[in-house]
Amino acid sequence: MTDGGSSIPAIQALLRALAVGRDVAELGTAFGEGAAAMAETARSVVTVEVDPDRAAAARERLAGLPNVEALEGDAYELLRGRGPFGLVFADEGAYDWEAIMALLAPGGILVKDDLTPGRATEGDAAREALLRDPRLEATEVLVTPEMACIVAVRRA
């Protein structure tokens, strides 16, 4: 687990592949590694970090990337009314899944990482929300022996 500090290389590779040609929203920029990886292939990336120190570090890290907009504050407030996005990366701690669904285009991809592998769906808020939502086709993917993520596609 990364404790929200940065995305691991395996997640960055997954995000690069999923972001190709898409408009992307990231909730939880941390230090900007995930946003930088997605920017390599995405049409555009809007990334939001609530922590001022991390947001400052991310802005420095992402400066000069013309397809990245790095914002500081509450992601739900700053992203409300924007989109729809072809990829939403939920890398922040607290989730409002309905607000996230409002950002996601039909056919868009939602990625939630930093999951401990092998846990039951029952009693796990993220797994229950994403794996049981009838608006999504979702699966849990083992990224490393220590980390899993959920990859979901919004049904049309």
Side-chain angles (χ1 to χ4, degrees):
M1 302 308 251
T2 65
D3 295 323
S6 61
S7 57
I8 64 172
I11 288 291
Q12 292 174 21
L14 175 66
L15 293 172
R16 262 189 224 94
L18 296 176
V20 172
R22 297 178 184 273
D23 294 314
V24 176
E26 178 183 36
L27 291 78
T29 311
F31 299 107
E33 291 93 346
M38 291 183 286
E40 292 178 29
T41 61
R43 179 177 26 237
S44 68
V45 178
V46 178
T47 183
V48 184
E49 174 57 48
V50 70
D51 179 86
D53 293 332
R54 288 183 179 190
R59 280 191 300 274
E60 186 175 320
R61 165 73 175 87
L62 300 168
L65 296 178
N67 61 336
V68 177
E69 182 181 4
L71 305 174
E72 179 183 333
D74 181 274
Y76 303 113
E77 290 178 16
L78 293 170
L79 294 174
R80 186 177 297 119
R82 296 183 73 161
F85 295 95
L87 173 62
V88 175
F89 178 39
D91 197 29
E92 180 181 287
Y95 301 99
D96 177 342
W97 295 113
E98 286 305 311
I100 291 171
M101 288 295 290
L103 298 171
L104 191 61
I109 301 168
L110 171 59
V111 176
K112 166 62 188 109
D113 77 338
D114 287 335
L115 298 172
T116 301
R119 290 205 175 152
T121 300
E122 193 69 38
D124 183 301
R127 285 179 171 93
E128 284 183 8
L130 300 178
L131 296 174
R132 293 183 175 163
D133 190 319
R135 298 169 293 181
L136 297 171
E137 186 62 42
T139 190
E140 187 167 328
V141 177
L142 187 63
V143 180
T144 71
E146 298 81 29
M147 185 186 294
C149 70
I150 293 174
V151 178
V153 176
R154 184 168 187 166
R155 297 174 190 269

